[in-house]
Amino acid sequence: MKFTILQENLARALSIVSRAVAPRSTLPVLANILLTTDNGRLRLSATNLEQGITCWVSAQVEEEGSITIPAKTLCDLVNTLNDRINATPDPKTATLKLVSGNSKTNIKGIDAAEFPPMPKPDLAGGLAIKGADLKEAIKQVAFAASSDESRPILTGIHLTGSENALALAFEAADGFRLSRRTLTLDQPVQAAFNIIVPAKAMLELASILGTDHVLVTISAGTIIFHTEEVELASQIIEGTYPDLTPIIPKVCHTRVALSVQALQVATRQAEIFAREASYIAKLHATPANGTAAKLEMSGQSPETGQMQTALEVSIEGQEQELALNVRYLAQVLSVMKTPNVALEI
């Protein structure tokens, strides 16, 4: 194995795959990144046995081969370099020699044969999704997933698709709120599926996705998201996701329509004063009755003081007042892409 690569290309690839490194694993090789030549490119892989990330990067390959190198050492070193990097491993000593400018370094590694095999996607039978759409859908539901590991089912995103359907459903809930997003597809789902994917893995995926199409394949308890440059594989959470449909009210007594931006500003102001009161803020919706309809938001605490702001709104239905966690409201507003929002109470 022998290759030459630009420092910025290697640094970018390392920043992506290092997200899947397991630094505190009992298996030393899981703290390493696998470097392999692959059809004229350099392939980097890392895994913690629950999630794995692979990244392909352009390189000038002179000899084929592979080796694993400690992720932290390699990342820290490459970030200090600023020139083209020449890499040559010594299979006998499992050492990688890096030469860049006036810098010469030898890094001790582990034989590539000890690295766990990475799952391979079925590129002929996957579901193609626009990367930008998938990224947006993940962000619009992942915030509602639970972080309580004692309830593993709720730490995932429920992903469902019906055979021949042109839509994919994403949903997450933590017992206090739920979020659901339906993603329209360009091609129909070939085979129905109903799975739970760890929200952490989905958020990692969203952070590395570009605008390219993503090929999604599911097999043997694993879901794989594949693009030309990046691939993420994650174990599927076993179990049955609760039916959230009955939780969502079928009717509302009051519907308030207003600007997302205006509500965001009011929410940030209320949060300042609600911090000392478990982040509880109040909403008071007053329909038009001789005066303009308005929505008042207030937050207060004995230590900080209080605030109240009135927003211009359109209201259908009766007068309503309620209290809620203002952080939950702020999180969902931060991922909305429309100029207006409707609050149904």
Side-chain angles (χ1 to χ4, degrees), residues 19 50-53 129 131-145 153-160 168-172 181 183 193 195-210 214 216-218 222-226 232-237:
R19 301 168 185 267
E50 294 180 357
Q51 171 187 314
I53 300 178
I129 305 175
D133 291 347
L134 178 58
K135 187 173 185 175
E136 181 178 278
I138 292 171
K139 290 185 175 181
Q140 289 180 334
V141 298
F143 69 87
I153 292 292
L154 296 184
T155 64
I157 293 177
H158 188 209
L159 195 59
T160 56
L168 206 59
F170 296 71
E171 59 183 2
R181 164 70 193 270
L183 179 62
F193 59 89
I195 60 174
I196 308 168
V197 185
K200 289 181 180 179
M202 296 293 273
L203 285 170
E204 290 288 6
L205 176 66
S207 68
I208 62 179
L209 279 181
V214 182
V216 183
T217 61
I218 304 169
T222 302
I223 184 168
I224 303 175
F225 302 89
H226 174 87
L232 183 145
S234 172
Q235 286 187 350
I236 293 170
I237 299 175

Short mmCIF file of all heavy atoms in Angstrom, two decimals, residues 19 50-53 129 131-145 153-160 168-172 181 183 193 195-210 214 216-218 222-226 232-237:
data_model
loop_
_atom_site.label_atom_id
_atom_site.label_comp_id
_atom_site.label_asym_id
_atom_site.label_seq_id
_atom_site.Cartn_x
_atom_site.Cartn_y
_atom_site.Cartn_z
N ARG A 19 -16.34 10.13 13.66
CA ARG A 19 -17.57 10.20 14.45
C ARG A 19 -18.01 8.82 14.92
O ARG A 19 -18.76 8.70 15.89
CB ARG A 19 -18.69 10.84 13.63
CG ARG A 19 -18.41 12.24 13.14
CD ARG A 19 -19.44 12.66 12.10
NE ARG A 19 -19.16 13.95 11.51
CZ ARG A 19 -19.65 15.10 11.94
NH1 ARG A 19 -20.45 15.11 12.98
NH2 ARG A 19 -19.35 16.24 11.34
N GLU A 50 -22.03 -0.67 16.60
CA GLU A 50 -23.44 -0.30 16.48
C GLU A 50 -23.66 0.61 15.28
O GLU A 50 -24.72 0.61 14.67
CB GLU A 50 -23.93 0.40 17.75
CG GLU A 50 -23.93 -0.50 18.98
CD GLU A 50 -24.43 0.22 20.21
OE1 GLU A 50 -24.71 1.44 20.12
OE2 GLU A 50 -24.53 -0.42 21.27
N GLN A 51 -22.65 1.37 14.98
CA GLN A 51 -22.71 2.32 13.86
C GLN A 51 -21.36 2.34 13.16
O GLN A 51 -20.32 2.28 13.80
CB GLN A 51 -23.05 3.71 14.39
CG GLN A 51 -22.93 4.84 13.40
CD GLN A 51 -23.13 6.19 14.07
OE1 GLN A 51 -24.04 6.38 14.86
NE2 GLN A 51 -22.26 7.13 13.77
N GLY A 52 -21.38 2.39 11.84
CA GLY A 52 -20.14 2.46 11.08
C GLY A 52 -20.22 3.50 9.99
O GLY A 52 -21.28 3.70 9.40
N ILE A 53 -19.12 4.19 9.74
CA ILE A 53 -19.07 5.22 8.69
C ILE A 53 -17.89 4.93 7.78
O ILE A 53 -16.78 4.65 8.24
CB ILE A 53 -18.94 6.63 9.28
CG1 ILE A 53 -20.13 6.96 10.18
CG2 ILE A 53 -18.84 7.67 8.16
CD1 ILE A 53 -20.04 8.32 10.84
N ILE A 129 -33.28 8.51 -2.20
CA ILE A 129 -33.91 9.67 -1.59
C ILE A 129 -32.99 10.87 -1.78
O ILE A 129 -31.77 10.75 -1.68
CB ILE A 129 -34.15 9.45 -0.08
CG1 ILE A 129 -34.95 8.18 0.17
CG2 ILE A 129 -34.87 10.65 0.53
CD1 ILE A 129 -35.12 7.86 1.65
N GLY A 131 -30.78 13.78 -0.86
CA GLY A 131 -30.05 14.01 0.37
C GLY A 131 -30.57 15.18 1.18
O GLY A 131 -30.69 15.11 2.40
N ALA A 132 -30.89 16.28 0.51
CA ALA A 132 -31.38 17.47 1.21
C ALA A 132 -32.72 17.20 1.89
O ALA A 132 -32.96 17.65 3.02
CB ALA A 132 -31.52 18.63 0.24
N ASP A 133 -33.59 16.43 1.22
CA ASP A 133 -34.90 16.11 1.81
C ASP A 133 -34.75 15.21 3.02
O ASP A 133 -35.43 15.38 4.04
CB ASP A 133 -35.80 15.44 0.77
CG ASP A 133 -36.21 16.39 -0.35
OD1 ASP A 133 -36.02 17.60 -0.18
OD2 ASP A 133 -36.72 15.91 -1.38
N LEU A 134 -33.88 14.21 2.91
CA LEU A 134 -33.65 13.29 4.03
C LEU A 134 -33.07 14.02 5.23
O LEU A 134 -33.48 13.81 6.38
CB LEU A 134 -32.73 12.16 3.58
CG LEU A 134 -32.35 11.11 4.63
CD1 LEU A 134 -33.59 10.44 5.20
CD2 LEU A 134 -31.41 10.08 4.03
N LYS A 135 -32.13 14.90 4.96
CA LYS A 135 -31.50 15.68 6.03
C LYS A 135 -32.53 16.53 6.76
O LYS A 135 -32.55 16.60 7.99
CB LYS A 135 -30.42 16.57 5.41
CG LYS A 135 -29.56 17.33 6.38
CD LYS A 135 -28.43 18.02 5.62
CE LYS A 135 -27.47 18.70 6.56
NZ LYS A 135 -26.31 19.28 5.84
N GLU A 136 -33.41 17.17 6.01
CA GLU A 136 -34.44 18.02 6.61
C GLU A 136 -35.42 17.19 7.44
O GLU A 136 -35.78 17.58 8.56
CB GLU A 136 -35.20 18.78 5.52
CG GLU A 136 -36.27 19.70 6.05
CD GLU A 136 -36.97 20.46 4.92
OE1 GLU A 136 -36.42 21.47 4.46
OE2 GLU A 136 -38.06 20.01 4.49
N ALA A 137 -35.85 16.03 6.92
CA ALA A 137 -36.80 15.18 7.63
C ALA A 137 -36.22 14.69 8.95
O ALA A 137 -36.92 14.64 9.98
CB ALA A 137 -37.19 14.00 6.75
N ILE A 138 -34.95 14.32 8.94
CA ILE A 138 -34.31 13.85 10.18
C ILE A 138 -34.32 14.94 11.24
O ILE A 138 -34.68 14.72 12.40
CB ILE A 138 -32.87 13.39 9.89
CG1 ILE A 138 -32.87 12.12 9.03
CG2 ILE A 138 -32.11 13.14 11.19
CD1 ILE A 138 -31.50 11.73 8.51
N LYS A 139 -33.92 16.14 10.84
CA LYS A 139 -33.85 17.25 11.81
C LYS A 139 -35.22 17.62 12.34
O LYS A 139 -35.34 18.12 13.47
CB LYS A 139 -33.17 18.46 11.16
CG LYS A 139 -31.69 18.25 10.90
CD LYS A 139 -31.04 19.51 10.37
CE LYS A 139 -29.54 19.34 10.21
NZ LYS A 139 -28.88 20.57 9.71
N GLN A 140 -36.27 17.38 11.55
CA GLN A 140 -37.61 17.77 11.98
C GLN A 140 -38.27 16.77 12.91
O GLN A 140 -39.35 17.04 13.43
CB GLN A 140 -38.49 18.03 10.74
CG GLN A 140 -38.09 19.29 10.00
CD GLN A 140 -38.94 19.55 8.77
OE1 GLN A 140 -39.50 18.63 8.20
NE2 GLN A 140 -39.02 20.80 8.36
N VAL A 141 -37.63 15.61 13.14
CA VAL A 141 -38.21 14.64 14.08
C VAL A 141 -37.23 14.23 15.18
O VAL A 141 -37.66 13.89 16.29
CB VAL A 141 -38.72 13.37 13.37
CG1 VAL A 141 -39.83 13.72 12.39
CG2 VAL A 141 -37.60 12.63 12.67
N ALA A 142 -35.93 14.26 14.91
CA ALA A 142 -34.95 13.71 15.86
C ALA A 142 -34.95 14.41 17.21
O ALA A 142 -34.67 13.79 18.23
CB ALA A 142 -33.55 13.76 15.24
N PHE A 143 -35.27 15.70 17.25
CA PHE A 143 -35.25 16.44 18.50
C PHE A 143 -36.26 15.89 19.50
O PHE A 143 -36.13 16.09 20.72
CB PHE A 143 -35.53 17.93 18.25
CG PHE A 143 -36.93 18.23 17.80
CD1 PHE A 143 -37.95 18.44 18.70
CD2 PHE A 143 -37.22 18.29 16.44
CE1 PHE A 143 -39.24 18.72 18.28
CE2 PHE A 143 -38.50 18.55 16.01
CZ PHE A 143 -39.52 18.76 16.92
N ALA A 144 -37.29 15.20 19.02
CA ALA A 144 -38.34 14.67 19.90
C ALA A 144 -38.03 13.28 20.43
O ALA A 144 -38.78 12.74 21.24
CB ALA A 144 -39.68 14.65 19.17
N ALA A 145 -36.94 12.65 19.97
CA ALA A 145 -36.58 11.32 20.44
C ALA A 145 -36.06 11.40 21.87
O ALA A 145 -35.46 12.40 22.29
CB ALA A 145 -35.52 10.70 19.53
N ILE A 153 -36.54 1.85 22.84
CA ILE A 153 -37.44 2.02 21.70
C ILE A 153 -37.61 3.51 21.38
O ILE A 153 -37.60 3.93 20.22
CB ILE A 153 -38.81 1.38 21.96
CG1 ILE A 153 -38.69 -0.15 22.03
CG2 ILE A 153 -39.81 1.78 20.88
CD1 ILE A 153 -38.35 -0.81 20.73
N LEU A 154 -37.77 4.33 22.42
CA LEU A 154 -38.04 5.75 22.22
C LEU A 154 -36.79 6.57 21.92
O LEU A 154 -36.89 7.77 21.66
CB LEU A 154 -38.77 6.33 23.44
CG LEU A 154 -40.15 5.75 23.73
CD1 LEU A 154 -40.80 6.48 24.91
CD2 LEU A 154 -41.06 5.84 22.50
N THR A 155 -35.61 5.94 21.96
CA THR A 155 -34.39 6.67 21.59
C THR A 155 -34.17 6.64 20.09
O THR A 155 -33.18 7.20 19.60
CB THR A 155 -33.15 6.07 22.28
OG1 THR A 155 -32.95 4.72 21.82
CG2 THR A 155 -33.30 6.06 23.79
N GLY A 156 -35.08 5.99 19.37
CA GLY A 156 -34.93 5.87 17.92
C GLY A 156 -35.96 6.67 17.15
O GLY A 156 -36.91 7.23 17.71
N ILE A 157 -35.76 6.73 15.85
CA ILE A 157 -36.72 7.33 14.93
C ILE A 157 -37.45 6.19 14.23
O ILE A 157 -36.82 5.29 13.68
CB ILE A 157 -36.02 8.23 13.90
CG1 ILE A 157 -35.43 9.47 14.59
CG2 ILE A 157 -36.99 8.67 12.80
CD1 ILE A 157 -34.66 10.38 13.65
N HIS A 158 -38.77 6.22 14.30
CA HIS A 158 -39.60 5.18 13.68
C HIS A 158 -39.72 5.52 12.19
O HIS A 158 -40.20 6.59 11.81
CB HIS A 158 -40.97 5.16 14.34
CG HIS A 158 -41.82 4.03 13.90
ND1 HIS A 158 -43.20 4.10 13.88
CD2 HIS A 158 -41.52 2.77 13.48
CE1 HIS A 158 -43.69 2.94 13.46
NE2 HIS A 158 -42.68 2.13 13.21
N LEU A 159 -39.29 4.58 11.36
CA LEU A 159 -39.25 4.79 9.91
C LEU A 159 -40.12 3.74 9.25
O LEU A 159 -39.91 2.55 9.42
CB LEU A 159 -37.81 4.68 9.43
CG LEU A 159 -37.42 5.18 8.05
CD1 LEU A 159 -37.74 6.65 7.90
CD2 LEU A 159 -35.94 4.94 7.80
N THR A 160 -41.14 4.18 8.50
CA THR A 160 -42.06 3.22 7.86
C THR A 160 -42.31 3.60 6.40
O THR A 160 -42.32 4.78 6.03
CB THR A 160 -43.42 3.18 8.59
OG1 THR A 160 -43.99 4.50 8.63
CG2 THR A 160 -43.27 2.66 10.00
N LEU A 168 -42.55 8.34 2.69
CA LEU A 168 -41.85 7.70 3.79
C LEU A 168 -42.22 8.46 5.05
O LEU A 168 -42.23 9.69 5.06
CB LEU A 168 -40.33 7.80 3.54
CG LEU A 168 -39.41 6.76 4.14
CD1 LEU A 168 -39.78 5.37 3.67
CD2 LEU A 168 -37.97 7.08 3.75
N ALA A 169 -42.56 7.74 6.14
CA ALA A 169 -42.98 8.39 7.37
C ALA A 169 -41.87 8.32 8.42
O ALA A 169 -41.31 7.26 8.67
CB ALA A 169 -44.25 7.74 7.90
N PHE A 170 -41.57 9.47 9.03
CA PHE A 170 -40.61 9.56 10.12
C PHE A 170 -41.37 10.03 11.36
O PHE A 170 -42.17 10.96 11.28
CB PHE A 170 -39.53 10.61 9.83
CG PHE A 170 -38.64 10.31 8.65
CD1 PHE A 170 -39.13 10.38 7.35
CD2 PHE A 170 -37.32 9.97 8.83
CE1 PHE A 170 -38.31 10.12 6.26
CE2 PHE A 170 -36.49 9.72 7.75
CZ PHE A 170 -36.98 9.79 6.47
N GLU A 171 -41.10 9.43 12.51
CA GLU A 171 -41.72 9.92 13.74
C GLU A 171 -40.84 9.59 14.94
O GLU A 171 -40.09 8.60 14.93
CB GLU A 171 -43.13 9.37 13.94
CG GLU A 171 -43.23 7.87 14.02
CD GLU A 171 -44.68 7.40 14.15
OE1 GLU A 171 -45.59 8.24 14.12
OE2 GLU A 171 -44.88 6.17 14.29
N ALA A 172 -40.91 10.44 15.96
CA ALA A 172 -40.16 10.24 17.19
C ALA A 172 -40.96 10.83 18.34
O ALA A 172 -41.73 11.79 18.17
CB ALA A 172 -38.79 10.90 17.11
N ARG A 181 -43.12 13.44 10.41
CA ARG A 181 -42.88 14.07 9.12
C ARG A 181 -43.07 13.03 8.02
O ARG A 181 -42.56 11.92 8.11
CB ARG A 181 -41.45 14.64 9.06
CG ARG A 181 -40.93 14.97 7.65
CD ARG A 181 -41.62 16.18 7.03
NE ARG A 181 -41.34 16.29 5.61
CZ ARG A 181 -40.32 16.96 5.09
NH1 ARG A 181 -39.47 17.61 5.86
NH2 ARG A 181 -40.15 17.00 3.78
N LEU A 183 -42.29 12.23 4.17
CA LEU A 183 -41.37 12.64 3.11
C LEU A 183 -41.85 12.09 1.77
O LEU A 183 -42.01 10.87 1.62
CB LEU A 183 -39.96 12.13 3.42
CG LEU A 183 -38.86 12.46 2.41
CD1 LEU A 183 -38.67 13.97 2.30
CD2 LEU A 183 -37.56 11.79 2.83
N PHE A 193 -41.57 -1.71 4.89
CA PHE A 193 -40.70 -1.88 6.05
C PHE A 193 -41.23 -1.05 7.22
O PHE A 193 -41.95 -0.06 7.04
CB PHE A 193 -39.25 -1.50 5.73
CG PHE A 193 -39.07 -0.09 5.26
CD1 PHE A 193 -38.85 0.94 6.16
CD2 PHE A 193 -39.11 0.22 3.91
CE1 PHE A 193 -38.68 2.25 5.72
CE2 PHE A 193 -38.94 1.52 3.46
CZ PHE A 193 -38.72 2.53 4.37
N ILE A 195 -39.29 -0.03 10.78
CA ILE A 195 -38.08 -0.19 11.58
C ILE A 195 -37.86 1.01 12.50
O ILE A 195 -38.49 2.06 12.34
CB ILE A 195 -36.83 -0.36 10.69
CG1 ILE A 195 -36.65 0.88 9.79
CG2 ILE A 195 -36.92 -1.62 9.84
CD1 ILE A 195 -35.36 0.87 8.99
N ILE A 196 -36.96 0.81 13.47
CA ILE A 196 -36.57 1.87 14.39
C ILE A 196 -35.06 2.07 14.27
O ILE A 196 -34.29 1.13 14.51
CB ILE A 196 -36.95 1.53 15.85
CG1 ILE A 196 -38.42 1.14 15.95
CG2 ILE A 196 -36.66 2.71 16.77
CD1 ILE A 196 -38.80 0.51 17.27
N VAL A 197 -34.64 3.27 13.91
CA VAL A 197 -33.22 3.58 13.73
C VAL A 197 -32.79 4.52 14.86
O VAL A 197 -33.48 5.49 15.15
CB VAL A 197 -32.97 4.25 12.37
CG1 VAL A 197 -31.47 4.46 12.15
CG2 VAL A 197 -33.57 3.42 11.24
N PRO A 198 -31.66 4.24 15.52
CA PRO A 198 -31.20 5.14 16.60
C PRO A 198 -31.14 6.60 16.14
O PRO A 198 -30.60 6.90 15.08
CB PRO A 198 -29.80 4.61 16.93
CG PRO A 198 -29.84 3.17 16.55
CD PRO A 198 -30.74 3.11 15.33
N ALA A 199 -31.72 7.49 16.95
CA ALA A 199 -31.73 8.91 16.58
C ALA A 199 -30.31 9.46 16.49
O ALA A 199 -30.02 10.32 15.65
CB ALA A 199 -32.54 9.70 17.61
N LYS A 200 -29.39 8.95 17.32
CA LYS A 200 -28.01 9.42 17.27
C LYS A 200 -27.39 9.14 15.90
O LYS A 200 -26.68 9.98 15.34
CB LYS A 200 -27.18 8.75 18.37
CG LYS A 200 -27.52 9.21 19.78
CD LYS A 200 -26.64 8.52 20.80
CE LYS A 200 -26.96 8.98 22.22
NZ LYS A 200 -26.12 8.28 23.23
N ALA A 201 -27.66 7.95 15.37
CA ALA A 201 -27.12 7.59 14.06
C ALA A 201 -27.72 8.46 12.97
O ALA A 201 -27.03 8.90 12.04
CB ALA A 201 -27.37 6.12 13.77
N MET A 202 -29.02 8.75 13.09
CA MET A 202 -29.69 9.58 12.08
C MET A 202 -29.17 11.01 12.11
O MET A 202 -29.02 11.65 11.07
CB MET A 202 -31.20 9.54 12.31
CG MET A 202 -31.84 8.18 12.12
SD MET A 202 -31.76 7.61 10.40
CE MET A 202 -33.27 8.36 9.76
N LEU A 203 -28.87 11.51 13.31
CA LEU A 203 -28.32 12.86 13.41
C LEU A 203 -26.90 12.92 12.85
O LEU A 203 -26.51 13.92 12.23
CB LEU A 203 -28.34 13.33 14.87
CG LEU A 203 -29.71 13.72 15.41
CD1 LEU A 203 -29.65 13.93 16.92
CD2 LEU A 203 -30.23 14.98 14.72
N GLU A 204 -26.13 11.85 13.06
CA GLU A 204 -24.81 11.78 12.44
C GLU A 204 -24.94 11.81 10.92
O GLU A 204 -24.18 12.48 10.22
CB GLU A 204 -24.08 10.50 12.88
CG GLU A 204 -23.66 10.48 14.33
CD GLU A 204 -22.50 11.41 14.63
OE1 GLU A 204 -22.07 12.17 13.74
OE2 GLU A 204 -22.02 11.40 15.77
N LEU A 205 -25.92 11.06 10.42
CA LEU A 205 -26.16 11.03 8.98
C LEU A 205 -26.50 12.42 8.46
O LEU A 205 -25.96 12.87 7.44
CB LEU A 205 -27.29 10.06 8.66
CG LEU A 205 -27.74 9.98 7.20
CD1 LEU A 205 -26.63 9.39 6.33
CD2 LEU A 205 -29.01 9.15 7.07
N ALA A 206 -27.38 13.12 9.16
CA ALA A 206 -27.78 14.47 8.73
C ALA A 206 -26.59 15.42 8.71
O ALA A 206 -26.52 16.32 7.86
CB ALA A 206 -28.87 15.00 9.65
N SER A 207 -25.64 15.22 9.62
CA SER A 207 -24.50 16.14 9.70
C SER A 207 -23.49 15.93 8.58
O SER A 207 -22.69 16.82 8.29
CB SER A 207 -23.80 15.98 11.06
OG SER A 207 -23.16 14.71 11.16
N ILE A 208 -23.50 14.74 7.94
CA ILE A 208 -22.51 14.47 6.90
C ILE A 208 -23.11 14.43 5.50
O ILE A 208 -22.38 14.36 4.51
CB ILE A 208 -21.76 13.15 7.17
CG1 ILE A 208 -22.73 11.96 7.16
CG2 ILE A 208 -21.02 13.22 8.48
CD1 ILE A 208 -22.05 10.62 7.41
N LEU A 209 -24.45 14.48 5.40
CA LEU A 209 -25.09 14.41 4.09
C LEU A 209 -24.92 15.70 3.31
O LEU A 209 -24.93 16.79 3.87
CB LEU A 209 -26.59 14.12 4.24
CG LEU A 209 -27.02 12.67 4.46
CD1 LEU A 209 -28.54 12.59 4.56
CD2 LEU A 209 -26.52 11.77 3.33
N GLY A 210 -24.83 15.55 1.99
CA GLY A 210 -24.84 16.69 1.09
C GLY A 210 -26.17 16.73 0.37
O GLY A 210 -27.21 16.35 0.91
N VAL A 214 -29.31 9.68 -1.82
CA VAL A 214 -28.88 8.67 -0.86
C VAL A 214 -29.60 7.37 -1.19
O VAL A 214 -30.82 7.36 -1.38
CB VAL A 214 -29.22 9.10 0.58
CG1 VAL A 214 -28.72 8.06 1.58
CG2 VAL A 214 -28.63 10.46 0.88
N VAL A 216 -30.83 3.92 0.21
CA VAL A 216 -31.12 3.31 1.50
C VAL A 216 -31.41 1.82 1.30
O VAL A 216 -32.28 1.45 0.51
CB VAL A 216 -32.33 3.99 2.17
CG1 VAL A 216 -32.58 3.40 3.56
CG2 VAL A 216 -32.12 5.50 2.26
N THR A 217 -30.69 0.97 2.02
CA THR A 217 -30.92 -0.47 1.96
C THR A 217 -31.07 -1.01 3.38
O THR A 217 -30.41 -0.53 4.31
CB THR A 217 -29.78 -1.21 1.25
OG1 THR A 217 -28.55 -0.98 1.96
CG2 THR A 217 -29.61 -0.70 -0.17
N ILE A 218 -31.91 -2.03 3.54
CA ILE A 218 -32.18 -2.63 4.84
C ILE A 218 -31.99 -4.14 4.72
O ILE A 218 -32.58 -4.77 3.83
CB ILE A 218 -33.61 -2.32 5.32
CG1 ILE A 218 -33.85 -0.80 5.35
CG2 ILE A 218 -33.88 -2.93 6.69
CD1 ILE A 218 -35.30 -0.42 5.54
N THR A 222 -29.81 -4.31 9.87
CA THR A 222 -28.95 -3.15 9.61
C THR A 222 -29.54 -2.29 8.51
O THR A 222 -30.09 -2.79 7.55
CB THR A 222 -27.54 -3.61 9.18
OG1 THR A 222 -26.97 -4.44 10.20
CG2 THR A 222 -26.63 -2.42 8.95
N ILE A 223 -29.44 -0.98 8.69
CA ILE A 223 -29.84 -0.05 7.64
C ILE A 223 -28.58 0.68 7.17
O ILE A 223 -27.74 1.08 7.99
CB ILE A 223 -30.91 0.95 8.13
CG1 ILE A 223 -31.37 1.85 6.96
CG2 ILE A 223 -30.43 1.78 9.31
CD1 ILE A 223 -32.62 2.67 7.27
N ILE A 224 -28.45 0.83 5.85
CA ILE A 224 -27.26 1.46 5.27
C ILE A 224 -27.69 2.62 4.38
O ILE A 224 -28.58 2.47 3.54
CB ILE A 224 -26.44 0.45 4.45
CG1 ILE A 224 -26.04 -0.75 5.31
CG2 ILE A 224 -25.19 1.11 3.88
CD1 ILE A 224 -25.34 -1.84 4.53
N PHE A 225 -27.05 3.77 4.58
CA PHE A 225 -27.28 4.96 3.77
C PHE A 225 -26.02 5.17 2.94
O PHE A 225 -24.94 5.42 3.50
CB PHE A 225 -27.56 6.17 4.64
CG PHE A 225 -28.75 6.01 5.56
CD1 PHE A 225 -28.60 5.47 6.83
CD2 PHE A 225 -30.02 6.39 5.15
CE1 PHE A 225 -29.68 5.32 7.68
CE2 PHE A 225 -31.12 6.24 5.99
CZ PHE A 225 -30.94 5.70 7.25
N HIS A 226 -26.14 5.09 1.62
CA HIS A 226 -24.97 5.10 0.75
C HIS A 226 -25.03 6.26 -0.25
O HIS A 226 -26.05 6.48 -0.90
CB HIS A 226 -24.89 3.78 -0.02
CG HIS A 226 -23.81 3.73 -1.05
ND1 HIS A 226 -22.51 3.35 -0.76
CD2 HIS A 226 -23.82 4.03 -2.38
CE1 HIS A 226 -21.78 3.41 -1.86
NE2 HIS A 226 -22.53 3.83 -2.85
N LEU A 232 -23.08 5.32 5.69
CA LEU A 232 -23.30 5.13 7.12
C LEU A 232 -24.17 3.90 7.32
O LEU A 232 -25.23 3.78 6.69
CB LEU A 232 -23.96 6.35 7.77
CG LEU A 232 -24.17 6.28 9.28
CD1 LEU A 232 -23.98 7.66 9.93
CD2 LEU A 232 -25.55 5.74 9.66
N ALA A 233 -23.72 3.00 8.19
CA ALA A 233 -24.48 1.80 8.52
C ALA A 233 -24.82 1.83 10.00
O ALA A 233 -23.99 2.20 10.83
CB ALA A 233 -23.68 0.55 8.18
N SER A 234 -26.05 1.45 10.34
CA SER A 234 -26.47 1.46 11.73
C SER A 234 -27.30 0.23 12.05
O SER A 234 -28.09 -0.23 11.21
CB SER A 234 -27.30 2.72 12.03
OG SER A 234 -27.88 2.65 13.33
N GLN A 235 -27.14 -0.29 13.25
CA GLN A 235 -28.00 -1.36 13.70
C GLN A 235 -29.41 -0.82 13.89
O GLN A 235 -29.61 0.34 14.24
CB GLN A 235 -27.49 -1.94 15.01
CG GLN A 235 -26.26 -2.80 14.89
CD GLN A 235 -25.90 -3.49 16.19
OE1 GLN A 235 -26.46 -3.20 17.24
NE2 GLN A 235 -24.97 -4.43 16.12
N ILE A 236 -30.40 -1.68 13.66
CA ILE A 236 -31.80 -1.33 13.88
C ILE A 236 -32.18 -1.72 15.30
O ILE A 236 -31.78 -2.78 15.79
CB ILE A 236 -32.69 -2.05 12.85
CG1 ILE A 236 -32.40 -1.52 11.43
CG2 ILE A 236 -34.16 -1.90 13.18
CD1 ILE A 236 -33.05 -2.32 10.34
N ILE A 237 -32.94 -0.87 15.98
CA ILE A 237 -33.39 -1.17 17.34
C ILE A 237 -34.51 -2.20 17.28
O ILE A 237 -35.49 -2.02 16.56
CB ILE A 237 -33.88 0.10 18.05
CG1 ILE A 237 -32.73 1.12 18.16
CG2 ILE A 237 -34.42 -0.23 19.44
CD1 ILE A 237 -33.15 2.45 18.75
#
